[in-house]
Every structure is written in structure tokens, then in C-alpha cells.
Amino acid sequence: MSLIKYQILVKVVACGSFTKAAGQLGLTQPAVSHAINSLETEFGFPLINRNRSGIQLTREGEILLPSLRRILQEDRNIHQQASEIHGTTRGTLHVGIFTSVTRHLLPRIIQVMDKDYSGIRLYLHEGNYIQIMEQISAGKLDCGFITFSVSKDLRCKPLMRDRILCIVSPRSALYHQEAVSFRQLEEEPFIMPAFGGYHEIRRILSEHDVHPDIRFELMEENAILSMVAHHLGISILPELVLPEDIAPLRAIPLESESYRTIQIATRLHPSPAAERFVEVAERVVKKQEVSSENRSHQ
């Protein structure tokens, strides 16, 4: 059956090895080689170049791979829809995640998924926003968390707003302020975040015509906090990336509150399992917001 051959080819490409793919699929290495050879005979051209350094898709193989992934995804969708007709939801779900979502939202989402949709098996893939968007569009991921989208191939739903705060050390002239003006960001050395949130930080600075004195650019938020703690500059970071206690540092709101919007993205025609995941994510975020509002009024 061609679907099995397609699955084998996609797995070989993902593993970069016939032997590894055979192990993950529970097949022998000759069976995997036979399936690839059969596909190449069926299509009339080579799909994979084999050499001492490993394997590599041919130009023709690269052209076909996205379509093969879409076919396999549609096959999974059909089986998930069939299970829904029987009153259950089953299948696998590949989800793109980034650090702050993993820390604050994902554990509760997984708990609810395990309780309400135990037939769905989750696979988590860490990456930055661009990688997650590209992998959803390519069919490698079913859904994922992002903060902005430039793709017309994705369906995005906003989940929550995450404040952008100014991080300062006790030696900073800003330390005792209740809010920091955008002009004040230009008055001290600045540690520029260069991780996934880089886009939001650049956007906010550009919108307010701010040109900070950038001393360092760092990918890792803990490294940024360490630089600030050693009095080497100030920074601005999303609230969700911060530890619960950053003392003796302070996280101070900006004069005009700025946010990044955390969204969940799927393909335009998501699988039933992806739709269930989106519903659960929205439910969890709403419940957390209600709990937070109740605590603030106590």
C-alpha cells in the first residue's frame, strides 16, 4: 500500500538513516530499503541519494515530500474523524512550544487533555516562533504556540496578552519608579533579547521611536537577567519568561503598557485532535484569567 511506503519515506528523511527509521517503525532495514526502491520504481526517478555521509533527498524527492506529508496528515484526519463518529477522539498530535508557554500554560493543558481526551497522544517540539510556523505549514506539526503570524496558511487564535516589562537592578536610576518611560530606556546600557521575543521587543521600540544603547544581544533570558543583576545594563522582557521571584531585580511596567499576544496556530483545516487541543488551551487560559482576577479582588 502506497500510504505505508509514504510513511516509511517520511520517517527515513526525519531520521536521516534507513536503520534508525527501521527501528522506529518496527521494520527490518531491508524492508525499509525495499519500500524506498519500490517508490522510486513507481515514480520513475530516484528519491534519495545514498552516500558515505548519510542520505539526502534528491531534487525530485524534495518536491514530493510536502505533498506526501499532507497525504499522511489527511489519512490521520480521516481516522480521527471516524473515531469521533464513534464518540471518541484518538490519534497523535505534534505541538510546537516555546519556553514560557511550557512553564506557565502547558502543564495544565496536558492535564486536561489527559483527562478529557486520553486517546490523543501528544508529542512536544520546542522551537522559536518562526520555526513553529514553518513546521505547521509544512505539515510537520499539527499546531503550535506563536506570538505573531505572517502566513496565510495558518489559522490563529489569540489566547492571552503577556506584558512587556523593564528589568532593572538596584543600582539603576529607574529602580524605585512605578513606571518607566520609553525615553528612559535610552539613558542606560541596554541588554537586547535576541530569542523568539526579539520581534516584539524590536516592534515596541520601533513604534515608540526608541534607540537604546545596546551593549549586548543575548538569546537566553536567564543570561539577560544575570547581566542585569551584575549591573551591566537594563532590559525589557515578557512577563511570562520571568521567574516568580527575581529579587533583588525589579520588573517595572512601561509608561504605556505594552504586550505580546500569545496565540495558538493550526493549519487552515486542522485535524479533530488539533481542534480539541485548541479548545482545551482556550478553556485553561480563561480559567487562569478568572482565578487571577478573583485573587486580585481579595
Side-chain angles (χ1 to χ4, degrees), residues 28-227:
T28 64
Q29 195 271 342
V32 170
S33 295
H34 176 75
I36 300 300
N37 291 336
S38 176
L39 271 182
E40 291 177 331
T41 300
E42 181 180 334
F43 291 144
F45 46 75
L47 297 169
I48 290 178
N49 288 322
R50 306 155 178 85
N51 52 53
R52 291 181 180 179
S53 61
I55 66 166
Q56 186 176 14
L57 279 174
T58 63
R59 183 179 64 85
E60 293 81 4
E62 289 179 348
I63 292 171
L64 285 180
L65 186 63
S67 296
L68 298 182
R69 286 192 175 121
R70 283 194 292 270
I71 290 170
L72 292 173
Q73 180 60 50
E74 284 305 313
D75 180 62
R76 291 193 293 270
N77 291 351
I78 290 169
H79 282 85
Q80 289 178 17
Q81 288 167 354
S83 72
E84 285 204 325
I85 292 172
H86 286 290
T88 61
T89 299
R90 296 185 178 278
T92 59
L93 193 66
H94 293 264
V95 183
I97 58 174
F98 53 86
T99 304
S100 51
V101 163
T102 304
R103 182 185 302 158
H104 293 277
L105 295 180
L106 200 59
R108 180 57 184 152
I109 292 173
I110 293 174
Q111 285 180 332
V112 177
M113 288 293 296
D114 286 347
K115 176 177 176 292
D116 293 352
Y117 304 106
S118 58
I120 298 176
R121 185 171 183 181
L122 298 178
Y123 294 89
L124 305 178
H125 305 264
E126 289 189 291
N128 61 42
Y129 314 142
I130 298 295
Q131 291 169 337
I132 291 171
M133 284 189 286
E134 289 176 345
Q135 290 177 12
I136 294 172
S137 296
K140 296 180 181 179
L141 296 177
D142 298 291
C143 60
F145 296 92
I146 60 174
T147 60
F148 69 97
S149 174
V150 293
S151 174
K152 295 180 180 179
D153 299 328
L154 303 182
R155 188 177 79 178
C156 302
K157 286 194 175 184
L159 288 178
M160 63 183 297
R161 295 196 304 176
D162 184 18
R163 288 194 302 171
I164 306 295
L165 303 173
C166 182
I167 314 301
V168 301
S169 79
R171 292 188 189 176
S172 169
L174 309 175
Y175 189 76
H176 296 289
Q177 294 187 189
E178 293 303 314
V180 174
S181 73
F182 287 100
R183 285 291 151 244
Q184 287 178 311
L185 296 176
E186 299 177 329
E187 295 174 1
E188 298 190 30
F190 194 81
I191 315 297
M192 173 65 78
F195 60 100
Y198 172 88
H199 303 280
E200 289 87 351
I201 303 303
R202 288 283 190 186
R203 173 183 59 79
I204 290 168
L205 295 177
S206 176
E207 285 176 356
H208 293 87
D209 194 28
V210 177
H211 305 280
D213 175 18
I214 299 174
R215 185 172 185 186
F216 303 110
E217 293 194 23
L218 296 172
M219 293 281 293
E220 217 279 320
E221 53 262 23
N222 287 330
I224 294 172
L225 293 174
S226 179
M227 288 287 187

